[in-house]
């Protein structure tokens, strides 16, 4: 549709120019013809003068004059047409600038000013996306390096404790149980890190697709909260779920479960010990709003602006046990957006609230 818009504008400009120039040419041509006719009629010439004979033959022959007039019109049409067609060559020549990584802007004739603006806008958008892609790739590579480094620590511990269990015959049953328990815990940590590596490689390998159906959002959130019971108990945390019964929406239950799981997990991971995570649901005319609030360190404005970016983690999380791949919230946002909803975050006074709005 946009390409048609530009072609229509160029066509209108071509017709306008052809009309204006044709009118000017017509007025000029017939004015000169009239002057020539009057000159031939009222000026005294020598009867056998060749210039006089030629002048009078032209002036009194309307067929010749009409033929000359048509030739002029054809020349004007061809000139304007060739000029318009030359715009294609100029657009093709300038289009090579769109893929060049520099600040040189596209420059086109005045008639193509709107096309020029659009092409420059596309170049800026392309450079922005390229820069973002490079940054995401760098973040991904950095995360892989961090995770690969982190994997060494629990793996070394697992190997060490299993070697002791294998080689030391003098260990008491209590010591054997202790070392086995440490090795198991380290194995779980190793499993989490490997899963994170898989998450990174999976994220860019496919596009998230949704299959909508009727969902009881209240039951979905209840099930997700139950799954976090072991983690909550270990840190002496609680989830308080305030809701109406049987809140219904249309969506993909598996994908929405993943989105809410990621947001709630984030709230649990970054909340203080011995605190409560509060989940509130609101039923409006068109939407269901879910707010997930935790007590934890206030997130800076800089981090809030980037919190939904792929592979983004605050610097402080890289060396902490809480830091993940930086994909959880990015995936949650993509899923919520695909459902026609929104997700936002606010953080102040050591409280952080994620607000998820989903259409019914």
């Amino acid at each position: 549709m946009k390409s048609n818009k530009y072609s229509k504008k160029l066509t209108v400009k071509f017709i306008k120019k052809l009309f204006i120039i044709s009118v000017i040419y017509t007025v000029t041509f017939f004015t000169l013809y009239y002057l020539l006719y009057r000159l031939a009629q009222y000026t005294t010439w020598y009867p056998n003068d060749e210039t006089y004979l030629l002048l009078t033959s032209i002036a009194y022959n309307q067929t010749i004059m009409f033929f000359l007039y048509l030739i002029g019109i054809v020349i004007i049409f061809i000139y304007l047409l060739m000029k318009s067609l030359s715009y294609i060559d100029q657009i093709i020549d300038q289009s090579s600038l769109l893929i060049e990584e520099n600040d040189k802007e596209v420059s086109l004739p005045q008639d193509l000013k709107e096309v020029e603006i659009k092409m420059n806008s596309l170049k800026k958008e392309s450079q922005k996306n390229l820069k973002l892609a490079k940054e995401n790739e760098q973040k991904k590579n950095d995360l892989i390096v961090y995770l690969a480094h982190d994997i060494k620590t629990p793996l070394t511990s697992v190997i060490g404790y299993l070697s002791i269990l294998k080689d030391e015959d003098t260990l008491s049953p209590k010591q054997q149980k202790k070392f086995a328990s440490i090795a198991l815990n380290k194995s779980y940590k190793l499993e989490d890190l490997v899963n994170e590596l898989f998450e990174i490689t999976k994220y860019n390998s496919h596009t998230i697709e949704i299959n909508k159906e009727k969902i009881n959002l209240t039951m979905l959130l209840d099930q997700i909260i139950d799954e976090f019971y072991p983690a909550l108990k270990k840190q002496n945390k609680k989830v308080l779920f305030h809701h109406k019964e049987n809140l219904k929406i249309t969506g993909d239950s598996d994908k929405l479960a993943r989105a809410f799981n990621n947001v709630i997990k984030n709230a649990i991971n970054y909340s203080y010990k011995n605190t409560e995570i509060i989940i509130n649901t609101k039923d409006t005319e068109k939407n269901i709003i879910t707010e997930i609030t935790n007590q934890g360190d206030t997130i800076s404005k800089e981090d809030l602006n980037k919190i939904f970016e792929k592979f983004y983690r605050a610097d402080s999380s890289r060396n902490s046990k809480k830091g993940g791949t930086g994909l959880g919230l990015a995936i949650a946002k993509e899923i919520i957006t695909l459902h026609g909803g929104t997700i936002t975050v606010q953080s102040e006074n050591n409280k952080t609230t994620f607000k998820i709005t989903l259409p019914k």
Side-chain angles (χ1 to χ4, degrees):
M1 291 297 291
K2 287 185 177 181
S3 60
N4 288 339
K5 180 181 74 173
Y6 295 133
S7 63
K8 284 179 181 177
K9 285 188 175 182
L10 286 175
T11 303
V12 170
K13 284 182 178 181
F14 174 80
I15 293 172
K16 281 183 178 179
K17 279 188 174 182
L18 180 60
F19 175 76
I20 293 169
I21 295 175
S22 296
V23 169
I24 294 171
Y25 167 72
T26 301
V27 172
T28 305
F29 180 86
F30 284 104
T31 300
L32 290 174
Y33 171 63
Y34 175 76
L35 292 174
L36 178 64
Y37 181 84
R38 300 293 287 181
L39 185 66
Q41 189 176 13
Y42 295 104
T43 304
T44 302
W45 297 78
Y46 293 106
N48 295 324
D49 189 289
E50 292 182 359
T51 304
Y52 172 76
L53 293 173
L54 177 63
L55 185 62
T56 53
S57 65
I58 294 174
Y60 297 141
N61 193 324
Q62 293 182 353
T63 303
I64 293 176
M65 295 306 297
F66 184 71
F67 180 72
L68 292 174
Y69 171 76
L70 284 180
I71 290 175
I73 291 293
V74 170
I75 290 171
I76 291 170
F77 178 82
I78 292 173
Y79 168 76
L80 292 177
L81 181 62
M82 293 301 292
K83 187 177 180 181
S84 296
L85 291 175
S86 70
Y87 290 159
I88 298 174
D89 293 331
Q90 293 180 63
I91 291 173
I92 292 172
D93 289 340
Q94 292 293 307
S95 63
S96 61
L97 294 174
L98 295 176
I99 60 174
E100 292 182 6
E101 294 184 32
N102 54 43
D103 296 328
K104 190 174 180 181
E105 292 191 342
V106 172
S107 179
L108 294 172
Q110 187 62 34
D111 286 346
L112 299 174
K113 198 66 182 177
E114 194 171 348
V115 178
E116 177 187 300
I117 293 170
K118 182 65 177 178
M119 290 178 71
N120 284 323
S121 175
L122 286 172
K123 180 173 182 177
K124 288 178 182 178
E125 189 67 24
S126 176
Q127 287 181 328
K128 180 182 176 182
N129 291 337
L130 182 62
K131 182 180 178 182
L132 186 61
K134 286 182 177 180
E135 288 176 354
N136 283 336
E137 187 66 23
Q138 185 60 47
K139 288 177 183 177
K140 183 177 76 171
N141 292 338
D142 289 345
L143 274 172
I144 290 173
V145 171
Y146 296 143
L147 289 173
H149 178 268
D150 290 344
I151 283 173
K152 290 181 181 179
T153 303
L155 182 59
T156 301
S157 297
V158 170
I159 293 172
Y161 283 109
L162 289 178
S163 296
I164 293 173
L165 289 170
K166 176 177 176 292
D167 298 332
E168 293 290 337
D169 297 329
T170 57
L171 292 174
S172 66
K174 185 177 180 180
Q175 287 177 313
Q176 289 178 358
K177 184 177 180 180
K178 178 183 176 181
F179 292 159
S181 177
I182 294 172
L184 181 61
N185 288 332
K186 295 295 182 181
S187 297
Y188 288 146
K189 176 62 177 174
L190 187 60
E191 181 185 34
D192 289 340
L193 292 169
V194 171
N195 287 336
E196 288 186 10
L197 278 173
F198 276 116
E199 193 75 10
I200 290 173
T201 55
K202 266 172 36 181
Y203 186 80
N204 284 335
S205 65
H206 70 286
T207 301
I208 295 177
E209 296 180 355
I210 58 173
N211 299 304
K212 290 187 175 182
E213 58 184 352
K214 286 288 183 182
I215 301 171
N216 187 321
L217 186 61
T218 306
M219 290 181 60
L220 182 70
L221 289 171
D222 264 329
Q223 291 172 1
I224 294 169
I225 293 167
D226 286 343
E227 291 171 4
F228 284 110
Y229 177 76
L232 291 165
K233 185 178 180 181
K234 186 177 180 181
Q235 301 178 52
N236 195 30
K237 297 178 183 179
K238 291 182 180 179
V239 172
L240 299 182
F241 184 24
H242 304 298
H243 62 275
K244 287 185 177 180
E245 295 295 332
N246 300 320
L247 289 173
K248 299 290 183 66
I249 62 170
T250 301
D252 188 313
S253 58
D254 291 335
K255 299 300 186 301
L256 285 176
R258 187 180 183 190
F260 280 105
N261 183 286
N262 289 348
V263 178
I264 295 171
K265 182 180 179 182
N266 182 83
I268 293 171
N269 286 344
Y270 290 95
S271 60
Y272 297 138
K273 286 186 178 180
N274 308 312
T275 58
E276 297 173 341
I277 292 87
I278 299 172
I279 302 177
N280 283 311
T281 55
K282 299 176 185 177
D283 188 3
T284 67
E285 184 180 350
K286 295 182 179 180
N287 303 309
I288 292 179
I289 300 170
T290 305
E291 294 181 341
I292 301 166
T293 303
N294 70 285
Q295 299 177 47
D297 293 341
T298 301
I299 304 172
S300 68
K301 288 184 178 180
E302 182 183 356
D303 287 334
L304 282 177
N305 291 333
K306 299 179 180 180
I307 201 167
F308 295 111
E309 289 183 8
K310 291 182 290 185
F311 309 115
Y312 181 78
R313 299 190 301 175
D315 290 341
S316 61
S317 73
R318 288 177 175 173
N319 297 317
S320 72
K321 293 179 181 180
K322 296 183 290 185
T325 60
L327 281 175
L329 294 178
I331 292 171
K333 182 176 181 179
E334 184 172 348
I335 292 171
I336 297 300
T337 302
L338 285 171
H339 281 80
T342 59
I343 177 170
T344 57
V345 59
Q346 289 184 330
S347 186
E348 56 185 6
N349 301 325
N350 300 111
K351 282 189 177 182
T352 299
T353 300
F354 285 87
K355 181 179 178 181
I356 297 171
T357 304
L358 287 168
K360 292 181 179 179

